Amino acid sequence: MDLAELGEEFAAFWRERHLCTLATARDGGPPHVVPVGATLDLDTATARVITSGSSRKAQLIGADGAAVSLCQVDGRRWSTLEGRAVVRTEPEQVADAERRYTARYKPPRPNPSRVVLEIQVTRVMGNV
């Protein structure tokens, strides 16, 4: 997917500081939706969320990965990214995600059990 085709307004919206929600599927139950900070790499169509490896969202994605939705809203402007998430534990992947998070938000608090939820974006919806 070429996210650059969505234009500068879309790119700017995903650079601005907005909190997001991440939706994952529970077995036989309603979706699990939680607030998160997220970053988007337009060049690779990859969104990233840092979290603790013991978090419920990381557990629901699991070792095999899972379909997720990541959404942010600012008044009438909104964007939802859908795709498959995987849990990345490699130190270099975690450090890269922390750098991206710092650029968009602020330095994250130290967390030795941090992992990265890496989402390969396959669908985009919204009004930006």
Side-chain angles (χ1 to χ4, degrees):
M1 169 163 267
D2 186 359
L3 297 182
E5 291 179 353
L6 298 174
E8 180 52 34
E9 286 184 54
F10 175 83
F13 187 57
W14 279 97
R15 283 190 305 266
E16 297 168 5
R17 188 186 189 283
H18 297 291
L19 291 179
C20 303
T21 58
L22 178 71
T24 53
R26 289 186 179 130
D27 288 337
H32 179 258
V33 182
V34 294
V36 296
T39 62
L40 178 61
D41 182 338
L42 295 172
D43 294 333
T44 63
T46 304
R48 292 175 178 84
V49 173
I50 57 175
T51 189
S52 179
S54 62
S55 70
R56 185 70 179 132
K57 56 190 163 287
Q59 292 172 2
L60 287 169
I61 291 169
D64 296 330
V68 301
S69 291
L70 180 68
C71 181
Q72 68 178 12
V73 63
D74 180 40
R76 295 177 61 107
R77 299 183 310 154
W78 65 276
S79 178
T80 297
L81 310 175
E82 294 181 343
R84 185 154 192 86
V86 295
V87 178
R88 303 291 301 261
T89 60
E90 303 91 336
E92 60 277 0
Q93 297 297 327
V94 172
D96 177 59
E98 289 172 335
R99 280 189 296 277
R100 293 170 187 272
Y101 182 95
T102 297
R104 187 172 190 201
Y105 299 102
K106 63 180 183 178
R109 64 177 172 73
N111 181 352
S113 65
R114 179 166 287 133
V115 299
V116 180
L117 308 180
E118 194 174 84
I119 305 159
Q120 190 60 55
V121 178
T122 56
R123 184 175 182 204
V124 177
M125 297 172 284
N127 180 38
V128 178

